[in-house]
Amino acid sequence: MLSAPILLLAAAVCVLIFCIFLLFRENERLEAELRSHFLDPSSPKHLEIYQQIVESAQWGIATRSADGQLLEACNPTFARLHGYLPEEVKGMPVSTIFAPENASEGRTWLRQIHSPDHYRFECIHKRKDGSTFPALVDSSVIRDQAGNILFRVLNVLDIT
């Protein structure tokens, strides 16, 4: 028969092994929870991170309607570049931000923007006060799984 100290030692080892098992299980649970917060695109934390990225970007970002005619939303930098508040940009015709100097090339750009999923070009943008600035524009089409256009994204960089 085993002595009491050996039985106590065996019991302590079993308790220790069980505690280590529980710690590993909790670690796995916490890791999965963190992963879901940051890697799951539908998680509130993930969406919050993307919102912070867009709002703090040092280039203008705006979304255009699926038909490309209206500005739907923008980050503070896009609004500031054009002399507006972000709320003023919502629903504004895209043509408002293009300077008249672009008229001759404007139709070509619009055709190019509407045909591929991605197009980059330089043009002159117009501010609310009528002043202008040269801009590098990167336009991307965002589609749903069926291939339908959901909206377009404009990334605008002042290249003065």
Side-chain angles (χ1 to χ4, degrees):
M1 197 136 150
L2 296 173
S3 67
I6 292 176
L7 285 175
L8 282 174
L9 181 61
V13 169
C14 287
V15 168
L16 182 60
I17 290 171
F18 183 69
C19 287
I20 291 171
F21 169 77
L22 290 178
L23 284 172
F24 276 110
R25 293 277 314 264
E26 181 64 9
N27 186 46
E28 288 174 353
R29 186 191 68 75
L30 289 172
E31 187 179 313
E33 185 178 324
L34 282 172
R35 200 176 305 119
S36 73
H37 280 309
F38 291 102
L39 299 179
D40 176 11
S42 63
S43 77
K45 187 64 177 175
H46 191 82
L47 296 174
E48 180 185 323
I49 289 168
Y50 273 104
Q51 182 176 359
Q52 289 173 350
I53 290 168
V54 169
E55 288 181 3
S56 65
Q58 297 303 299
W59 63 90
I61 302 171
T63 58
R64 296 174 29 220
S65 55
D67 66 7
Q69 299 302 308
L70 299 176
L71 294 167
E72 294 180 330
C74 71
N75 70 347
T77 302
F78 183 93
R80 188 177 62 253
L81 282 172
H82 295 90
Y84 295 94
L85 296 172
E87 308 82 56
E88 293 178 288
V89 173
K90 187 174 184 170
M92 179 185 292
V94 174
S95 59
T96 307
I97 64 169
F98 290 107
E101 298 92 291
N102 297 317
S104 63
E105 297 169 306
R107 291 191 198 322
T108 304
W109 292 330
L110 288 175
R111 273 195 309 276
Q112 292 294 329
I113 288 173
H114 290 288
S115 57
D117 285 346
H118 183 256
Y119 185 64
R120 184 176 296 137
F121 60 97
E122 290 181 20
C123 65
I124 306 296
H125 273 216
K126 183 175 67 175
R127 295 185 182 95
K128 184 178 183 178
D129 66 7
S131 62
T132 60
F133 65 95
L136 174 63
V137 178
D138 186 280
S139 177
S140 298
V141 174
I142 307 302
R143 298 178 185 274
D144 63 16
Q145 291 180 342
N148 301 312
I149 297 175
L150 296 174
F151 58 94
R152 298 160 192 276
V153 177
L154 286 178
N155 291 286
V156 177
L157 183 64
D158 181 343
I159 56 172
T160 302

